[in-house]
Amino acid sequence: MATCSWLRSCGAPRYPLVRPRRRLLPRPDCWASGRAPLRTYAPGPGGLPAALLRKDSFVGGRWLPAATAFPVLDPASGAELGCVADCGATEARGAVDTAYKAFCSWRGVSAKERSSLLRKWYDLMIRNKDDLAKIITAESGKPLKEAQGEILYSAFFLEWFSEEARRVYGDVICTPTKEKRALVLKQPVGVAAVITPWNFPSAMITRKVGAALAAGCTVVVKPAEDTPFSALALAELANQAGIPPGVYNVIPCSQRKAKDVGEALCTHPLVSKISFTGSTATGKILLHHAANSVKRVSMELGGHAPFIVFDSADVDQAVAGAMASKFRNSGQTCVCSNRFLVQRGIHDSFVKKFAEAIKTNLHVGNGFEERTTQGPLINEKAVEKVEKHVSDALSKGATVVTGGKRHQLGKNFFEPTLLSNVTQNMLCSHEETFGPLAPVIKFDTEEEAVAMANAADVGLAGYFYSQDPAQIWRVAEQLEVGMVGVNEGLISSVECPFGGMKQSGLGREGSKYGIDEYLELKYVCFGGL
């Protein structure tokens, strides 16, 4: 679950935010159940955009209600933002059937036309970027400036794959005999089931769907139950762009039905491809379901990113990179640095400057508030995990440098926290925290640091800072991760392949390689010539 290099231009981690101006009254239906004031989140001009706030599923180009609905909550205040259709396995199977019917015609649409439609979708995202960002901030708590960066990142995937749609090339292979010709064709795999997370509710959709549609596939999207409004807003814009009915479908569901819906998508005989971003544990369950019918699978799973600072590093540069990598989205990304390995000679200086930067630059608050750089965590369960990791570390000898407890703003807020004297036997050293916790581990040699970094069973991203060219080559090649940031804390870009090694997943997204995940190779032997 990534973010983009465009956040650099936003001045991360100091984000000057745009405050919504007007507060409107709640609607009389599902909006504002009385749990908490909606503040600036009420739908309509000046608040959340009513035209993009859809609450039904989107299947076959139509908005379809479900028998029941589930509430979507603002993690900052606990307010109920709205009720969304709670689809089940039956609706999921129906969406797949619809997507397959659409695939039978969509696969025959010219690459140029698919490219044009994706470009129109991109243009609409750019035109509505501010409203889309407000939706992300309301349902995920992400600071508005970060949400705006995500929307740009999301749109750029549609732009990128609109161009890649026209660059799906086959091959002609020379055969040993002159009577034969050998061809290699690339064809769309079919219906793709796309299951996405809450921390990047827009970008994780377009990164997958852009590639799928460019290849000629159709999709059924199951968004995270915490953030369905972003997926439905994208459906509204896809419809406006002229994406044919059934090509892009969205079936939101509650946590209670997520297991059944996921199983229905992974076992449906008309689904040819599963794309999932989320935890390693859930990914393994989906892999098991997909294995029974040998479906194509690509997965971006959990991470445990090391951030190594060698004695030769520029300390100020390393601290800036640590801030950008660790505290983006309050530490809730799979490529966030999760453990900081700092060489003994530079350790004290790094910890001191890191603590100063945290205290000076990070401001906890509601995502719509101007000074906020750290919004709430997605829910109280996420906060409890951070608390558990901090408590465990302190019980085993770690020291709090700054932070260390829940923030006074509310139950879903946690102080940006820096721990020193961390050791390998602590939970935060071998489990992904997914929160604003930065544990620092001291090391002596390069070999020791690489061994600690590679000890994890996951390998999504890794970062290190060094001014030694030979060391840079050695460590970059030895780290067992799919993506490496060398003297850089923000590494994601639509042009570059995103994915991991070991239990961090299968396949790659984005880049010229991303479209291959949705294409089958077919060998054609033409004889009798």
Side-chain angles (χ1 to χ4, degrees), residues 405-434:
K405 61 184 184 299
R406 294 196 190 206
H407 196 278
Q408 60 184 5
L409 280 178
K411 65 180 183 179
N412 289 344
F413 292 88
F414 200 91
E415 296 176 341
T417 299
L418 177 62
L419 300 181
S420 63
N421 299 318
V422 175
T423 58
Q424 285 290 88
N425 67 329
M426 298 175 185
L427 285 177
C428 60
S429 297
H430 56 84
E431 287 184 7
E432 185 178 28
T433 303
F434 229 66

PDB file of all heavy atoms in Angstrom, residues 405-434:
ATOM      1  N   LYS A 405       1.826   7.450  23.918  1.00  0.00           N
ATOM      2  CA  LYS A 405       0.482   7.170  24.447  1.00  0.00           C
ATOM      3  C   LYS A 405      -0.586   7.728  23.512  1.00  0.00           C
ATOM      4  O   LYS A 405      -0.287   8.451  22.560  1.00  0.00           O
ATOM      5  CB  LYS A 405       0.324   7.775  25.835  1.00  0.00           C
ATOM      6  CG  LYS A 405       0.470   9.282  25.889  1.00  0.00           C
ATOM      7  CD  LYS A 405       0.399   9.782  27.324  1.00  0.00           C
ATOM      8  CE  LYS A 405       0.437  11.306  27.397  1.00  0.00           C
ATOM      9  NZ  LYS A 405       1.673  11.876  26.832  1.00  0.00           N
ATOM     10  N   ARG A 406      -1.841   7.405  23.810  1.00  0.00           N
ATOM     11  CA  ARG A 406      -2.957   7.955  23.043  1.00  0.00           C
ATOM     12  C   ARG A 406      -2.981   9.473  23.170  1.00  0.00           C
ATOM     13  O   ARG A 406      -2.631  10.024  24.209  1.00  0.00           O
ATOM     14  CB  ARG A 406      -4.291   7.386  23.528  1.00  0.00           C
ATOM     15  CG  ARG A 406      -4.454   5.909  23.288  1.00  0.00           C
ATOM     16  CD  ARG A 406      -5.900   5.492  23.417  1.00  0.00           C
ATOM     17  NE  ARG A 406      -6.034   4.029  23.424  1.00  0.00           N
ATOM     18  CZ  ARG A 406      -7.137   3.383  23.031  1.00  0.00           C
ATOM     19  NH1 ARG A 406      -8.193   4.073  22.626  1.00  0.00           N
ATOM     20  NH2 ARG A 406      -7.188   2.060  23.071  1.00  0.00           N
ATOM     21  N   HIS A 407      -3.429  10.083  22.103  1.00  0.00           N
ATOM     22  CA  HIS A 407      -3.531  11.543  22.119  1.00  0.00           C
ATOM     23  C   HIS A 407      -4.854  11.952  22.759  1.00  0.00           C
ATOM     24  O   HIS A 407      -5.858  11.242  22.671  1.00  0.00           O
ATOM     25  CB  HIS A 407      -3.444  12.086  20.695  1.00  0.00           C
ATOM     26  CG  HIS A 407      -3.153  13.539  20.609  1.00  0.00           C
ATOM     27  ND1 HIS A 407      -4.121  14.502  20.750  1.00  0.00           N
ATOM     28  CD2 HIS A 407      -1.990  14.210  20.396  1.00  0.00           C
ATOM     29  CE1 HIS A 407      -3.572  15.701  20.623  1.00  0.00           C
ATOM     30  NE2 HIS A 407      -2.277  15.554  20.401  1.00  0.00           N
ATOM     31  N   GLN A 408      -4.866  13.110  23.382  1.00  0.00           N
ATOM     32  CA  GLN A 408      -6.052  13.590  24.090  1.00  0.00           C
ATOM     33  C   GLN A 408      -7.225  13.896  23.167  1.00  0.00           C
ATOM     34  O   GLN A 408      -8.365  14.043  23.625  1.00  0.00           O
ATOM     35  CB  GLN A 408      -5.702  14.855  24.870  1.00  0.00           C
ATOM     36  CG  GLN A 408      -5.210  16.004  23.988  1.00  0.00           C
ATOM     37  CD  GLN A 408      -4.767  17.215  24.795  1.00  0.00           C
ATOM     38  OE1 GLN A 408      -4.738  17.184  26.026  1.00  0.00           O
ATOM     39  NE2 GLN A 408      -4.421  18.293  24.100  1.00  0.00           N
ATOM     40  N   LEU A 409      -6.991  13.974  21.837  1.00  0.00           N
ATOM     41  CA  LEU A 409      -8.069  14.326  20.913  1.00  0.00           C
ATOM     42  C   LEU A 409      -9.179  13.285  20.845  1.00  0.00           C
ATOM     43  O   LEU A 409     -10.319  13.607  20.541  1.00  0.00           O
ATOM     44  CB  LEU A 409      -7.504  14.553  19.506  1.00  0.00           C
ATOM     45  CG  LEU A 409      -6.859  15.912  19.245  1.00  0.00           C
ATOM     46  CD1 LEU A 409      -6.304  15.951  17.838  1.00  0.00           C
ATOM     47  CD2 LEU A 409      -7.868  17.028  19.442  1.00  0.00           C
ATOM     48  N   GLY A 410      -8.845  12.015  21.073  1.00  0.00           N
ATOM     49  CA  GLY A 410      -9.885  10.994  20.992  1.00  0.00           C
ATOM     50  C   GLY A 410      -9.307   9.595  20.922  1.00  0.00           C
ATOM     51  O   GLY A 410      -8.092   9.411  20.813  1.00  0.00           O
ATOM     52  N   LYS A 411     -10.191   8.610  20.941  1.00  0.00           N
ATOM     53  CA  LYS A 411      -9.759   7.228  21.070  1.00  0.00           C
ATOM     54  C   LYS A 411      -8.983   6.702  19.872  1.00  0.00           C
ATOM     55  O   LYS A 411      -8.242   5.727  19.997  1.00  0.00           O
ATOM     56  CB  LYS A 411     -10.963   6.329  21.324  1.00  0.00           C
ATOM     57  CG  LYS A 411     -11.967   6.272  20.165  1.00  0.00           C
ATOM     58  CD  LYS A 411     -13.128   5.354  20.492  1.00  0.00           C
ATOM     59  CE  LYS A 411     -14.098   5.246  19.317  1.00  0.00           C
ATOM     60  NZ  LYS A 411     -15.231   4.334  19.613  1.00  0.00           N
ATOM     61  N   ASN A 412      -9.122   7.314  18.691  1.00  0.00           N
ATOM     62  CA  ASN A 412      -8.422   6.823  17.504  1.00  0.00           C
ATOM     63  C   ASN A 412      -7.135   7.585  17.198  1.00  0.00           C
ATOM     64  O   ASN A 412      -6.508   7.353  16.168  1.00  0.00           O
ATOM     65  CB  ASN A 412      -9.344   6.888  16.282  1.00  0.00           C
ATOM     66  CG  ASN A 412     -10.460   5.861  16.340  1.00  0.00           C
ATOM     67  OD1 ASN A 412     -10.400   4.915  17.116  1.00  0.00           O
ATOM     68  ND2 ASN A 412     -11.484   6.061  15.542  1.00  0.00           N
ATOM     69  N   PHE A 413      -6.761   8.487  18.095  1.00  0.00           N
ATOM     70  CA  PHE A 413      -5.542   9.271  17.881  1.00  0.00           C
ATOM     71  C   PHE A 413      -4.410   8.747  18.768  1.00  0.00           C
ATOM     72  O   PHE A 413      -4.627   8.419  19.933  1.00  0.00           O
ATOM     73  CB  PHE A 413      -5.786  10.745  18.198  1.00  0.00           C
ATOM     74  CG  PHE A 413      -6.707  11.440  17.234  1.00  0.00           C
ATOM     75  CD1 PHE A 413      -8.081  11.432  17.433  1.00  0.00           C
ATOM     76  CD2 PHE A 413      -6.199  12.097  16.127  1.00  0.00           C
ATOM     77  CE1 PHE A 413      -8.927  12.081  16.547  1.00  0.00           C
ATOM     78  CE2 PHE A 413      -7.037  12.749  15.233  1.00  0.00           C
ATOM     79  CZ  PHE A 413      -8.402  12.734  15.439  1.00  0.00           C
ATOM     80  N   PHE A 414      -3.207   8.697  18.190  1.00  0.00           N
ATOM     81  CA  PHE A 414      -2.037   8.261  18.963  1.00  0.00           C
ATOM     82  C   PHE A 414      -0.892   9.216  18.692  1.00  0.00           C
ATOM     83  O   PHE A 414      -0.691   9.673  17.564  1.00  0.00           O
ATOM     84  CB  PHE A 414      -1.631   6.836  18.591  1.00  0.00           C
ATOM     85  CG  PHE A 414      -0.784   6.153  19.629  1.00  0.00           C
ATOM     86  CD1 PHE A 414      -1.377   5.410  20.631  1.00  0.00           C
ATOM     87  CD2 PHE A 414       0.602   6.282  19.625  1.00  0.00           C
ATOM     88  CE1 PHE A 414      -0.613   4.787  21.614  1.00  0.00           C
ATOM     89  CE2 PHE A 414       1.383   5.672  20.598  1.00  0.00           C
ATOM     90  CZ  PHE A 414       0.769   4.916  21.597  1.00  0.00           C
ATOM     91  N   GLU A 415      -0.137   9.524  19.729  1.00  0.00           N
ATOM     92  CA  GLU A 415       0.985  10.450  19.590  1.00  0.00           C
ATOM     93  C   GLU A 415       2.079   9.852  18.710  1.00  0.00           C
ATOM     94  O   GLU A 415       2.397   8.661  18.848  1.00  0.00           O
ATOM     95  CB  GLU A 415       1.581  10.776  20.961  1.00  0.00           C
ATOM     96  CG  GLU A 415       0.644  11.497  21.904  1.00  0.00           C
ATOM     97  CD  GLU A 415       1.267  11.705  23.270  1.00  0.00           C
ATOM     98  OE1 GLU A 415       2.251  10.997  23.589  1.00  0.00           O
ATOM     99  OE2 GLU A 415       0.761  12.557  24.018  1.00  0.00           O
ATOM    100  N   PRO A 416       2.675  10.628  17.815  1.00  0.00           N
ATOM    101  CA  PRO A 416       3.858  10.149  17.091  1.00  0.00           C
ATOM    102  C   PRO A 416       4.929   9.783  18.113  1.00  0.00           C
ATOM    103  O   PRO A 416       5.271  10.588  18.988  1.00  0.00           O
ATOM    104  CB  PRO A 416       4.272  11.357  16.249  1.00  0.00           C
ATOM    105  CG  PRO A 416       3.024  12.167  16.103  1.00  0.00           C
ATOM    106  CD  PRO A 416       2.273  11.987  17.393  1.00  0.00           C
ATOM    107  N   THR A 417       5.429   8.571  18.018  1.00  0.00           N
ATOM    108  CA  THR A 417       6.248   8.010  19.098  1.00  0.00           C
ATOM    109  C   THR A 417       7.611   7.549  18.588  1.00  0.00           C
ATOM    110  O   THR A 417       7.708   6.882  17.553  1.00  0.00           O
ATOM    111  CB  THR A 417       5.518   6.823  19.745  1.00  0.00           C
ATOM    112  OG1 THR A 417       4.279   7.293  20.299  1.00  0.00           O
ATOM    113  CG2 THR A 417       6.353   6.186  20.838  1.00  0.00           C
ATOM    114  N   LEU A 418       8.636   7.898  19.339  1.00  0.00           N
ATOM    115  CA  LEU A 418      10.006   7.466  19.050  1.00  0.00           C
ATOM    116  C   LEU A 418      10.537   6.701  20.249  1.00  0.00           C
ATOM    117  O   LEU A 418      10.508   7.207  21.383  1.00  0.00           O
ATOM    118  CB  LEU A 418      10.892   8.677  18.750  1.00  0.00           C
ATOM    119  CG  LEU A 418      12.377   8.415  18.496  1.00  0.00           C
ATOM    120  CD1 LEU A 418      12.573   7.523  17.274  1.00  0.00           C
ATOM    121  CD2 LEU A 418      13.136   9.739  18.326  1.00  0.00           C
ATOM    122  N   LEU A 419      11.001   5.483  20.010  1.00  0.00           N
ATOM    123  CA  LEU A 419      11.581   4.650  21.064  1.00  0.00           C
ATOM    124  C   LEU A 419      13.064   4.410  20.782  1.00  0.00           C
ATOM    125  O   LEU A 419      13.454   4.189  19.629  1.00  0.00           O
ATOM    126  CB  LEU A 419      10.872   3.295  21.138  1.00  0.00           C
ATOM    127  CG  LEU A 419       9.369   3.252  21.422  1.00  0.00           C
ATOM    128  CD1 LEU A 419       8.890   1.800  21.470  1.00  0.00           C
ATOM    129  CD2 LEU A 419       9.038   3.961  22.725  1.00  0.00           C
ATOM    130  N   SER A 420      13.876   4.420  21.821  1.00  0.00           N
ATOM    131  CA  SER A 420      15.280   4.033  21.701  1.00  0.00           C
ATOM    132  C   SER A 420      15.541   2.816  22.577  1.00  0.00           C
ATOM    133  O   SER A 420      14.650   2.358  23.302  1.00  0.00           O
ATOM    134  CB  SER A 420      16.196   5.194  22.113  1.00  0.00           C
ATOM    135  OG  SER A 420      16.004   5.517  23.477  1.00  0.00           O
ATOM    136  N   ASN A 421      16.756   2.294  22.499  1.00  0.00           N
ATOM    137  CA  ASN A 421      17.134   1.079  23.248  1.00  0.00           C
ATOM    138  C   ASN A 421      16.237  -0.107  22.888  1.00  0.00           C
ATOM    139  O   ASN A 421      15.914  -0.946  23.729  1.00  0.00           O
ATOM    140  CB  ASN A 421      17.095   1.321  24.761  1.00  0.00           C
ATOM    141  CG  ASN A 421      18.058   2.412  25.204  1.00  0.00           C
ATOM    142  OD1 ASN A 421      19.193   2.463  24.732  1.00  0.00           O
ATOM    143  ND2 ASN A 421      17.613   3.295  26.085  1.00  0.00           N
ATOM    144  N   VAL A 422      15.822  -0.151  21.642  1.00  0.00           N
ATOM    145  CA  VAL A 422      14.974  -1.250  21.174  1.00  0.00           C
ATOM    146  C   VAL A 422      15.854  -2.435  20.801  1.00  0.00           C
ATOM    147  O   VAL A 422      16.953  -2.267  20.250  1.00  0.00           O
ATOM    148  CB  VAL A 422      14.129  -0.798  19.965  1.00  0.00           C
ATOM    149  CG1 VAL A 422      13.336  -1.952  19.370  1.00  0.00           C
ATOM    150  CG2 VAL A 422      13.191   0.337  20.388  1.00  0.00           C
ATOM    151  N   THR A 423      15.376  -3.636  21.088  1.00  0.00           N
ATOM    152  CA  THR A 423      16.127  -4.851  20.780  1.00  0.00           C
ATOM    153  C   THR A 423      15.303  -5.788  19.900  1.00  0.00           C
ATOM    154  O   THR A 423      14.101  -5.591  19.705  1.00  0.00           O
ATOM    155  CB  THR A 423      16.526  -5.579  22.078  1.00  0.00           C
ATOM    156  OG1 THR A 423      15.336  -5.882  22.830  1.00  0.00           O
ATOM    157  CG2 THR A 423      17.453  -4.712  22.917  1.00  0.00           C
ATOM    158  N   GLN A 424      15.960  -6.809  19.421  1.00  0.00           N
ATOM    159  CA  GLN A 424      15.343  -7.724  18.466  1.00  0.00           C
ATOM    160  C   GLN A 424      14.252  -8.594  19.068  1.00  0.00           C
ATOM    161  O   GLN A 424      13.450  -9.180  18.330  1.00  0.00           O
ATOM    162  CB  GLN A 424      16.420  -8.633  17.844  1.00  0.00           C
ATOM    163  CG  GLN A 424      17.294  -7.950  16.802  1.00  0.00           C
ATOM    164  CD  GLN A 424      16.524  -7.657  15.528  1.00  0.00           C
ATOM    165  OE1 GLN A 424      15.894  -6.608  15.397  1.00  0.00           O
ATOM    166  NE2 GLN A 424      16.535  -8.582  14.601  1.00  0.00           N
ATOM    167  N   ASN A 425      14.190  -8.704  20.387  1.00  0.00           N
ATOM    168  CA  ASN A 425      13.186  -9.578  21.004  1.00  0.00           C
ATOM    169  C   ASN A 425      11.858  -8.866  21.273  1.00  0.00           C
ATOM    170  O   ASN A 425      10.950  -9.438  21.877  1.00  0.00           O
ATOM    171  CB  ASN A 425      13.729 -10.156  22.318  1.00  0.00           C
ATOM    172  CG  ASN A 425      13.924  -9.085  23.388  1.00  0.00           C
ATOM    173  OD1 ASN A 425      14.219  -7.932  23.075  1.00  0.00           O
ATOM    174  ND2 ASN A 425      13.785  -9.469  24.647  1.00  0.00           N
ATOM    175  N   MET A 426      11.726  -7.637  20.822  1.00  0.00           N
ATOM    176  CA  MET A 426      10.495  -6.871  21.055  1.00  0.00           C
ATOM    177  C   MET A 426       9.542  -7.029  19.885  1.00  0.00           C
ATOM    178  O   MET A 426       9.965  -7.214  18.740  1.00  0.00           O
ATOM    179  CB  MET A 426      10.837  -5.398  21.276  1.00  0.00           C
ATOM    180  CG  MET A 426      11.721  -5.165  22.496  1.00  0.00           C
ATOM    181  SD  MET A 426      12.241  -3.430  22.662  1.00  0.00           S
ATOM    182  CE  MET A 426      13.352  -3.561  24.077  1.00  0.00           C
ATOM    183  N   LEU A 427       8.246  -6.957  20.147  1.00  0.00           N
ATOM    184  CA  LEU A 427       7.237  -7.152  19.102  1.00  0.00           C
ATOM    185  C   LEU A 427       7.419  -6.193  17.935  1.00  0.00           C
ATOM    186  O   LEU A 427       7.282  -6.576  16.769  1.00  0.00           O
ATOM    187  CB  LEU A 427       5.831  -6.969  19.690  1.00  0.00           C
ATOM    188  CG  LEU A 427       5.277  -8.094  20.561  1.00  0.00           C
ATOM    189  CD1 LEU A 427       3.904  -7.700  21.106  1.00  0.00           C
ATOM    190  CD2 LEU A 427       5.164  -9.387  19.769  1.00  0.00           C
ATOM    191  N   CYS A 428       7.735  -4.935  18.222  1.00  0.00           N
ATOM    192  CA  CYS A 428       7.875  -3.950  17.150  1.00  0.00           C
ATOM    193  C   CYS A 428       9.050  -4.239  16.246  1.00  0.00           C
ATOM    194  O   CYS A 428       9.137  -3.683  15.140  1.00  0.00           O
ATOM    195  CB  CYS A 428       7.988  -2.543  17.730  1.00  0.00           C
ATOM    196  SG  CYS A 428       9.401  -2.306  18.837  1.00  0.00           S
ATOM    197  N   SER A 429       9.945  -5.134  16.667  1.00  0.00           N
ATOM    198  CA  SER A 429      11.104  -5.492  15.846  1.00  0.00           C
ATOM    199  C   SER A 429      10.795  -6.591  14.844  1.00  0.00           C
ATOM    200  O   SER A 429      11.533  -6.768  13.868  1.00  0.00           O
ATOM    201  CB  SER A 429      12.271  -5.942  16.733  1.00  0.00           C
ATOM    202  OG  SER A 429      12.696  -4.890  17.569  1.00  0.00           O
ATOM    203  N   HIS A 430       9.727  -7.346  15.099  1.00  0.00           N
ATOM    204  CA  HIS A 430       9.423  -8.443  14.159  1.00  0.00           C
ATOM    205  C   HIS A 430       7.954  -8.515  13.755  1.00  0.00           C
ATOM    206  O   HIS A 430       7.529  -9.458  13.102  1.00  0.00           O
ATOM    207  CB  HIS A 430       9.890  -9.794  14.719  1.00  0.00           C
ATOM    208  CG  HIS A 430       9.328 -10.127  16.079  1.00  0.00           C
ATOM    209  ND1 HIS A 430       8.106 -10.703  16.261  1.00  0.00           N
ATOM    210  CD2 HIS A 430       9.870  -9.985  17.309  1.00  0.00           C
ATOM    211  CE1 HIS A 430       7.892 -10.892  17.548  1.00  0.00           C
ATOM    212  NE2 HIS A 430       8.942 -10.463  18.217  1.00  0.00           N
ATOM    213  N   GLU A 431       7.151  -7.492  14.110  1.00  0.00           N
ATOM    214  CA  GLU A 431       5.775  -7.389  13.640  1.00  0.00           C
ATOM    215  C   GLU A 431       5.556  -6.005  13.037  1.00  0.00           C
ATOM    216  O   GLU A 431       6.111  -5.017  13.519  1.00  0.00           O
ATOM    217  CB  GLU A 431       4.766  -7.581  14.788  1.00  0.00           C
ATOM    218  CG  GLU A 431       4.626  -8.991  15.293  1.00  0.00           C
ATOM    219  CD  GLU A 431       3.536  -9.103  16.345  1.00  0.00           C
ATOM    220  OE1 GLU A 431       2.811  -8.093  16.564  1.00  0.00           O
ATOM    221  OE2 GLU A 431       3.404 -10.180  16.952  1.00  0.00           O
ATOM    222  N   GLU A 432       4.726  -5.936  12.000  1.00  0.00           N
ATOM    223  CA  GLU A 432       4.377  -4.653  11.409  1.00  0.00           C
ATOM    224  C   GLU A 432       3.417  -3.914  12.336  1.00  0.00           C
ATOM    225  O   GLU A 432       2.359  -4.431  12.686  1.00  0.00           O
ATOM    226  CB  GLU A 432       3.724  -4.879  10.042  1.00  0.00           C
ATOM    227  CG  GLU A 432       3.420  -3.613   9.284  1.00  0.00           C
ATOM    228  CD  GLU A 432       2.814  -3.895   7.916  1.00  0.00           C
ATOM    229  OE1 GLU A 432       2.151  -4.954   7.751  1.00  0.00           O
ATOM    230  OE2 GLU A 432       2.989  -3.063   7.017  1.00  0.00           O
ATOM    231  N   THR A 433       3.773  -2.687  12.733  1.00  0.00           N
ATOM    232  CA  THR A 433       2.943  -1.928  13.664  1.00  0.00           C
ATOM    233  C   THR A 433       1.758  -1.280  12.969  1.00  0.00           C
ATOM    234  O   THR A 433       0.637  -1.289  13.462  1.00  0.00           O
ATOM    235  CB  THR A 433       3.783  -0.837  14.369  1.00  0.00           C
ATOM    236  OG1 THR A 433       4.882  -1.453  15.039  1.00  0.00           O
ATOM    237  CG2 THR A 433       2.923  -0.079  15.375  1.00  0.00           C
ATOM    238  N   PHE A 434       1.991  -0.675  11.812  1.00  0.00           N
ATOM    239  CA  PHE A 434       0.965   0.048  11.069  1.00  0.00           C
ATOM    240  C   PHE A 434       0.417   1.204  11.885  1.00  0.00           C
ATOM    241  O   PHE A 434      -0.792   1.395  12.033  1.00  0.00           O
ATOM    242  CB  PHE A 434      -0.169  -0.890  10.632  1.00  0.00           C
ATOM    243  CG  PHE A 434      -0.513  -0.732   9.166  1.00  0.00           C
ATOM    244  CD1 PHE A 434       0.397  -1.071   8.189  1.00  0.00           C
ATOM    245  CD2 PHE A 434      -1.743  -0.231   8.766  1.00  0.00           C
ATOM    246  CE1 PHE A 434       0.095  -0.915   6.841  1.00  0.00           C
ATOM    247  CE2 PHE A 434      -2.058  -0.068   7.426  1.00  0.00           C
ATOM    248  CZ  PHE A 434      -1.128  -0.415   6.455  1.00  0.00           C
TER     249      PHE A 434
END
